[in-house]
Amino acid sequence: MLNIDPMGNLIFIIFNLIGGYLLFKFFQFKFVQFTTEVDKPEFWKFEKHKYILSVSAMVILGLSAIKFFLPNTSLFTTNNALSDFQLWASIAMSFSISAIWAYYVRSLDIYERERCVNILIVFILGCLTTFLVFPISGFLNEAGFVMTGAFINDFFYCFIGIGMVEEFVKLIPLLIIMRFRKVVNEPFDFILYASVSALGFAFIENVLYINRSDFEAINGRSLMAGVAHMTFSSVIGYSIMLSTFKKSRKLYYLFGGFILASAMHGFYDFWLINPTAQQVYELSFIFYLASVHFWFTMKNKAIRSSYFHDSRVEIDNDKLRYYLILWLTIILMSSGVLVGIHSGRDVAYQFLMSELYSYGFLIYYLGFSFSKFTINERVQAICQVPFDVVIPKEPSRETIAKAREN
């Protein structure tokens, strides 16, 4: 549950107003569909409205479970029983979050789909290498490099002590799968395995945060933290892909990608951690939205440059859109139920209202980002230009074919 200051409140109001406008345009779009549909019974089929019907059903079920089945106090009478439940529920929710995003990322691998066993190996390695953070951070802390609350010191600590350290340990599983399994053979594979490694890291991290927060961190971890981890790791994966398939500037891509990923990671964390920067922590939220588009652009560039490209094969955007909207809504409502089990009905209801306000725009954003319905194609095209300019051009299929022959 976010602690929102006046400035943050204004920003979230603006975002939710935008979300409300998008929702209005969506219903306007549906009305036009209805008036132009010759076969009216066809319009009322579930397939035509599955998003709004499924989400509404999940919200009603979640609120009903809280209102009619939960008491106004914790279901547990002893601290030991509550602690055990909290730990196992945190593990289950953390794994669910990682599994949801891992399935999504793997579904984008449409030309030469990676085997589940390889993905599982990288996920487990991502979990295990997470624990390398502790000795590395301990070494830096013993050397005197710690968070002090000073603006400049903490900025560099977030960049080096958090960004570089965490991106390094998330990189290890990708390097292992490249070296020992020989399965990374098309551009998107680099992003896929980098993302799965990041989800392994996020799984361990999420267990700690969700357990420590009495379940209140679930939606922040599912909607923002996990996606941010995938984005930062994908920057390194994309840079390794460029250095693998391009003839020149290999070291530039390698080190440049690592520095950029570490800087993005550190910048994201800095505004959430430093006492002075926390006054404008909303910058992390805005930066996250830009980072998501950054990830989308890298993903698209990698997919379209695949050596195995087949024009007859397409991503089923409608299926993926429905999948994400449904499961993220289930996570949202499950978080409310878990808070209710832990703290009671009234606390759960207040929590859900706060989460819908704090993260409501993200729900709208994801819903419309994965939708065929476009608000303004010209505006979207203009917004895409900076990302295409900043992100290096993907190698051509001919270049990749020559690299594979060598």
Side-chain angles (χ1 to χ4, degrees):
M1 192 156 44
L2 293 180
N3 182 20
I4 303 176
D5 59 25
M7 183 62 183
N9 192 46
L10 176 62
I11 290 176
F12 283 111
I13 287 175
I14 293 172
F15 281 140
N16 279 283
L17 286 175
I18 294 172
Y21 170 72
L22 295 178
L23 200 59
F24 167 76
K25 295 293 288 185
F26 174 76
F27 283 113
Q28 186 180 54
F29 172 72
K30 284 293 183 182
F31 178 75
V32 172
Q33 271 192 330
F34 175 74
T35 56
T36 56
E37 181 71 64
V38 177
D39 185 4
K40 297 300 183 185
E42 180 71 19
F43 175 81
W44 293 110
K45 286 187 175 180
F46 173 77
E47 193 68 20
K48 294 272 188 178
H49 312 284
K50 59 185 177 183
Y51 303 110
I52 191 166
L53 291 176
S54 298
V55 170
S56 299
M58 290 302 106
V59 171
I60 292 172
L61 284 173
L63 290 175
S64 299
I66 292 171
K67 181 174 179 60
F68 297 111
F69 296 102
L70 293 179
N72 204 25
T73 57
S74 175
L75 285 178
F76 295 92
T77 56
T78 65
N79 289 334
N80 287 339
L82 178 59
S83 297
D84 289 342
F85 169 79
Q86 194 165 323
L87 174 60
W88 287 108
S90 297
I91 292 172
M93 291 302 295
S94 298
F95 182 78
S96 298
I97 292 168
S98 290
I100 287 168
W101 286 111
Y103 179 88
Y104 169 73
V105 176
R106 183 174 182 265
S107 297
L108 300 175
D109 187 23
I110 56 175
Y111 297 124
E112 196 224 11
R113 183 155 292 183
E114 298 303 297
R115 295 173 59 198
C116 290
V117 64
N118 293 324
I119 291 175
L120 182 61
I121 288 171
V122 172
F123 178 80
I124 293 173
L125 288 173
C127 295
L128 295 176
T129 55
T130 301
F131 295 97
L132 293 175
V133 168
F134 300 111
I136 297 174
S137 297
F139 173 79
L140 292 175
N141 293 340
E142 288 181 5
F145 191 33
V146 296
M147 296 278 291
T148 63
F151 192 88
I152 299 299
N153 175 84
D154 287 2
F155 181 84
F156 280 103
Y157 184 86
C158 287
F159 169 44
I160 299 172
I162 297 178
M164 281 190 168
V165 171
E166 293 190 6
E167 293 311 316
F168 170 71
V169 301
K170 289 190 292 179
L171 171 61
I172 295 173
L174 173 60
L175 296 178
I176 291 175
I177 200 73
M178 288 176 63
R179 174 64 178 83
F180 295 103
R181 297 289 289 185
K182 307 294 184 182
V183 294
V184 183
N185 54 10
E186 64 171 331
F188 184 70
D189 290 348
F190 292 86
I191 289 179
L192 170 62
Y193 286 114
S195 297
V196 172
S197 174
L199 290 172
F201 182 97
F203 166 69
I204 300 298
E205 191 177 65
N206 287 348
V207 172
L208 299 176
Y209 278 99
I210 291 173
N211 188 39
R212 190 184 305 162
S213 69
D214 299 336
F215 304 119
E216 294 190 357
I218 288 175
N219 297 303
R221 305 307 299 180
S222 67
L223 290 169
M224 294 184 66
V227 179
H229 272 303
M230 286 194 297
T231 298
F232 306 146
S233 294
S234 293
V235 170
I236 300 177
Y238 190 84
S239 67
I240 294 176
M241 180 271 290
L242 291 175
S243 70
T244 300
F245 293 121
K246 289 200 171 187
K247 293 181 179 180
S248 60
R249 308 178 76 185
K250 292 181 178 291
L251 290 179
Y252 167 81
Y253 289 126
L254 279 174
F255 290 104
F258 179 74
I259 295 299
L260 177 59
S262 301
M264 291 174 68
H265 193 148
F267 184 87
Y268 175 83
D269 282 356
F270 174 69
W271 303 100
L272 299 174
I273 297 175
N274 177 263
T276 303
Q278 281 180 337
Q279 299 176 31
V280 284
Y281 73 90
E282 302 83 15
L283 285 175
S284 280
F285 186 75
I286 297 172
F287 179 70
Y288 163 80
L289 296 179
S291 297
V292 168
H293 280 289
F294 199 87
W295 186 81
F296 286 163
T297 303
M298 289 188 297
K299 175 262 295 181
N300 289 335
K301 286 176 175 285
I303 291 174
R304 68 183 178 218
S305 64
S306 174
Y307 173 78
F308 304 98
H309 178 80
D310 185 344
S311 58
R312 297 169 298 179
V313 179
E314 294 183 352
I315 295 174
D316 190 342
N317 286 310
D318 188 66
K319 179 181 178 181
L320 288 179
R321 178 171 66 247
Y322 180 61
Y323 165 82
L324 270 185
I325 291 175
L326 177 64
W327 281 104
L328 291 177
T329 302
I330 290 174
I331 290 291
L332 173 65
M333 301 315 297
S334 297
S335 70
V337 173
L338 288 172
V339 169
I341 292 173
H342 182 278
S343 304
R345 180 178 59 243
D346 291 347
V347 174
Y349 180 80
Q350 293 175 6
F351 167 77
L352 274 181
M353 294 302 102
S354 174
E355 295 296 274
L356 286 171
Y357 175 71
S358 302
Y359 297 110
F361 175 74
L362 278 184
I363 296 173
Y364 303 139
Y365 170 77
L366 288 174
F368 285 94
S369 291
F370 297 110
S371 173
K372 296 176 183 176
F373 174 61
T374 302
I375 301 298
N376 191 316
E377 291 183 357
R378 184 178 179 184
V379 171
Q380 289 183 350
I382 292 173
C383 292
Q384 182 60 34
V385 170
F387 298 99
D388 288 328
V389 171
V390 171
I391 300 174
K393 183 176 176 57
E394 69 278 12
S396 66
R397 293 176 199 139
E398 292 75 17
T399 300
I400 295 174
K402 290 179 181 179
R404 284 170 57 86
E405 291 173 0
N406 296 331

